[in-house]
Amino acid sequence: MRKVLVIGGVAGGASAAARLRRLDEHANIIMFERGEYISYANCGLPYYIGGDIKDRSALTLQTPESFKSRFNVDVRIFNEVISINPNDKNVEVKDHRTGKIYVESYDKLILSPGAEAVRPNIKGFDNARVFTLRNIPDTYRIKDYINQEKPKSAVVVGGGYIGIEMAENLKHAGLDVTVVEFADHVIAPLDFDMASDVHNHIREKGVHLILGDGVKEITDQGAALKITLGKQDIYADMVIMSVGVRPDSTLAKIAGLSLNERGAIIVDEHMRTSDDSIYAVGDAVEITDYITGTKGYIPLAGPANKQGRIAADNICGIETVYKGTQGSGILKCFDLTVATTGITEKQAKTLNLNYEKSFTYSASHASYYPGAVSMSIKLIFHKDNGKILGAQIVGYEGVDKRLDVLATAIRANMTVYDLTELELAYAPPFSSAKDPVNMAGYVAENILTGKTRIFHFDEVDKLPRDGSVTLLDIRSDMEYENGSIDGFMNITVDELRKNLHRLDKSKPVYVTCQIGLRGHTACRILSQNGFECYNLSGGYRLYNSIYHKAEQKGQENYKLNEETMVVAANITTVEVDACGLQCPGPIMKLSEAVKNASEGDVIEIKTTDPAFAADVESWCKRTGNTFGGVHSEKGISKAIIKKGGVAACVNYSDGNNKNIIVFSGDLDKAIASFIIANTAASMGRKVTMFFTFWGLNILRKPEKVSVKKDIISKMFGAMMPRGSKKLGLSKMNMGGMGAKMIRMVMKNKNIDDLESLIKASIDNGVELIACSMSMDVMGITMDELIDGVKISGAATMLANGEESDMSLFI
């Protein structure tokens, strides 16, 4: 009869002991646990603190008595193995209840000591109001402190899985919470770009987030704790330290087993250590990365349970192997679900892999079926063969399902091409005919086969704004006006074919839409018409999520502000359901509802578009409607808007816009106007040029246009210069000789002529506006103006002036 000792009674140890018994009914199995609890739910501990799990007993999946009854295993709690003697094949054990130390022999030994919380070298770490969370006693201490001392605020140090879960649950417990993370983003298995949505969501839920800073010292400051960071001081009533874990390998070290540099126990594929009679499993062991084949350390419950089973198999003569860990994990962050598998882009860069990435945004199920919410998927894949290296998903409903499919695909060594062929279950309440996993595959395939060339968010601001490339936003007018990237001009995808003549085939075209889908369509149009085209992967949505920091608000500020709506008996409330629609669908439905409403009516709109919550307030400011608040829950945003209102809203900007009013029709002044405009646009400023009276001649087409006019308008048209090439100088015109001379000098000096400056301004996104009143007075029609000019009135000019830090009258 074999005798097997198991050290550690949680995930890996309990799994190993149960598997041993199922394989060998007659083995003598003893399991040692230094604490009081075995087989408890580590991952559920934060949710007991937050109140989602209310019964303490729910945290323990097995008791020593139930485990003994079912598996006939001798479970010894409060018994700590203090040394292993491999030569004698025995261990020394201390019974903490009696203080007695005794020796127990073994034939085989399984080490499952787990990991311990990292204890950083911070002064004040041992303060009684500083806690760590690793086991059930830690959980009870935190819960009891909250119940008894009634703290109002807490700082969570560390933005990993446990740190984020603790932040959420402390917030649910009623505390004001701050998360401090030394890195530039939370959740290490995410890349920074995907973590941006998580950052914005955390802030929207009222949690303060400090990134790129660390704790130096914790001191008592009266009734509060003073937490000294590298860049500032913050105060709180309690601190949760969650800066990571390290392998608890003290016993292994004493026994002389091989450890790696991090202190993890080195094992082979059978989970054997350097001693053939000793196996090790769980959070204390070194793993092999399934994707890269490199050695690493990934402490997760799933691998620990599998390793325990494999160790038991090999002890019982079944040669099972552990093929590596790919790091599949999932996290609840308030309403968001965050899931990862495989390697990150950061790891791919470190390993110098020839990789590419793609970003897709898909609805959890058919968009026309109620309740569809979006998820963001980042796929990392090998350029040479399309092999999937990693995946990250941030969203709401259905994230777990898609991550599991992608994790399975990685385990099966599938490629992005294989994702396009997966036949996944479809019905409108559950998915779409093209599942989000299929869509991720399609996009990656298009990239690898050259059907679309892409550029990424971190390249956008490096693109030149000097007219050497064309920057094109092909979203709708409404989307563009609600927010755009500096320097990108707007031609909608539906109008693109009719406006190809406005684009220069000698210049590369960089296209953006909202999420990349319409951008692919635009690039296909352009590339087949002779243009070199690049599509922004992830579109404006990804760019904006990274560079737009969500306003720090408490959840209470997101409650719908019914009082400001002044709801009265004669006010109508209009309910609009825009769930499932992608941008600009929700804004368009809102615009239509407001248009049909009476002054003072209230519109309540629900949507699942992730951009809507950020867009709706600026839309209200731009259109003069009262914003009553927005509340987001589980991916559904509900906003209240009152038509009109006591506080008419205006467009707000960062104050960097430039407003140029061109009154003159003189060549020299026109040249100066466009030089200033192009310079400002190249600096990333939004520039508006308002042409009125004689300035309209600059925008006239050089050729004669057949239009019907009255006699006075015809006389005006005949006397005025037709287009920029006919303009005279304000000084020394000399019957047109001066203008010719200045053009010749500019050519000799390699200075762009006025016509080139005008075209560059359009390419740079400068907005050219013709005054409608002046056009009527001067008898100029829209057909006579060059392409790319808009018509507006003085109100637009004044509004642009209010948004600008500089207005020039030329």
Side-chain angles (χ1 to χ4, degrees), residues 68-88:
K68 168 69 174 175
S69 175
R70 177 162 299 177
F71 298 109
N72 191 26
V73 171
D74 183 0
V75 180
R76 302 179 186 179
I77 60 173
F78 295 118
N79 276 243
E80 181 180 6
V81 175
I82 57 177
S83 69
I84 302 171
N85 307 299
N87 293 332
D88 299 328

Side-chain angles (χ1 to χ4, degrees), residues 354-415:
N354 187 26
Y355 77 94
E356 185 54 276
K357 59 186 175 182
S358 66
F359 300 89
T360 53
Y361 301 93
S362 303
S364 56
H365 58 247
S367 58
Y368 57 82
Y369 186 87
V373 289
S374 293
M375 65 183 75
S376 311
I377 301 178
K378 179 178 182 178
L379 206 58
I380 303 161
F381 48 92
H382 207 288
K383 282 185 179 180
D384 295 340
N385 53 22
K387 181 181 177 181
I388 306 166
L389 302 173
Q392 302 166 29
I393 310 182
V394 176
Y396 303 92
E397 177 188 319
V399 166
D400 53 343
K401 169 182 172 180
R402 275 62 185 218
L403 193 280
D404 285 343
V405 172
L406 290 167
T408 303
I410 288 176
R411 183 61 61 160
N413 293 313
M414 295 173 70
T415 68

Side-chain angles (χ1 to χ4, degrees), residues 275-506:
D275 185 306
D276 286 347
S277 297
I278 302 176
Y279 293 74
V281 302
D283 293 353
V285 306
E286 177 187 77
I287 58 92
T288 298
D289 189 294
Y290 182 78
I291 293 96
T292 66
T294 57
K295 300 298 182 181
Y297 179 68
I298 304 178
L300 291 171
N305 279 278
K306 294 176 182 67
Q307 291 162 4
R309 178 187 176 93
I310 289 169
D313 282 356
N314 283 280
I315 288 172
C316 294
I318 303 172
E319 290 199 7
T320 313
V321 299
Y322 185 67
K323 297 179 181 178
T325 302
Q326 66 191 70
S328 299
I330 194 164
L331 167 72
K332 177 181 179 293
C333 175
F334 292 96
D335 297 335
L336 273 184
T337 303
V338 180
T340 67
T341 188
I343 65 172
T344 63
E345 183 184 358
K346 182 178 179 181
Q347 290 172 294
K349 283 182 179 177
T350 301
L351 294 169
N352 284 322
L353 299 181
N354 187 26
Y355 77 94
E356 185 54 276
K357 59 186 175 182
S358 66
F359 300 89
T360 53
Y361 301 93
S362 303
S364 56
H365 58 247
S367 58
Y368 57 82
Y369 186 87
V373 289
S374 293
M375 65 183 75
S376 311
I377 301 178
K378 179 178 182 178
L379 206 58
I380 303 161
F381 48 92
H382 207 288
K383 282 185 179 180
D384 295 340
N385 53 22
K387 181 181 177 181
I388 306 166
L389 302 173
Q392 302 166 29
I393 310 182
V394 176
Y396 303 92
E397 177 188 319
V399 166
D400 53 343
K401 169 182 172 180
R402 275 62 185 218
L403 193 280
D404 285 343
V405 172
L406 290 167
T408 303
I410 288 176
R411 183 61 61 160
N413 293 313
M414 295 173 70
T415 68
V416 296
Y417 304 107
D418 295 318
L419 297 183
T420 67
E421 299 177 5
L422 290 180
E423 187 175 333
L424 303 172
Y426 161 60
F430 304 104
S431 184
S432 300
K434 294 178 181 177
D435 188 85
V437 173
N438 297 134
M439 289 301 298
Y442 291 139
V443 170
E445 179 191 48
N446 284 336
I447 293 169
L448 289 179
T449 57
K451 292 182 179 69
T452 187
R453 288 185 281 188
I454 60 172
F455 66 109
H456 294 294
F457 70 89
D458 53 354
E459 301 173 73
V460 171
D461 293 339
K462 300 173 186 175
L463 292 172
R465 264 66 173 181
D466 59 1
S468 60
V469 300
T470 300
L471 307 179
L472 184 61
D473 188 323
I474 53 88
R475 297 176 299 157
S476 68
D477 293 341
M478 189 177 296
E479 289 173 282
Y480 182 78
E481 291 171 3
N482 245 17
S484 61
I485 303 173
D486 287 339
F488 278 70
M489 69 171 179
N490 183 218
I491 302 175
T492 67
V493 66
D494 295 334
E495 299 292 323
L496 185 56
R497 290 183 180 87
K498 293 186 287 187
N499 285 277
L500 293 177
H501 63 282
R502 292 174 54 188
L503 307 178
D504 188 341
K505 287 186 180 180
S506 68

Side-chain angles (χ1 to χ4, degrees), residues 679-699:
T679 302
S682 69
M683 295 170 64
R685 307 297 188 247
K686 180 180 178 183
V687 183
T688 303
M689 300 182 74
F690 185 81
F691 295 83
T692 184
F693 282 95
W694 312 114
L696 290 170
N697 292 314
I698 302 169
L699 303 180

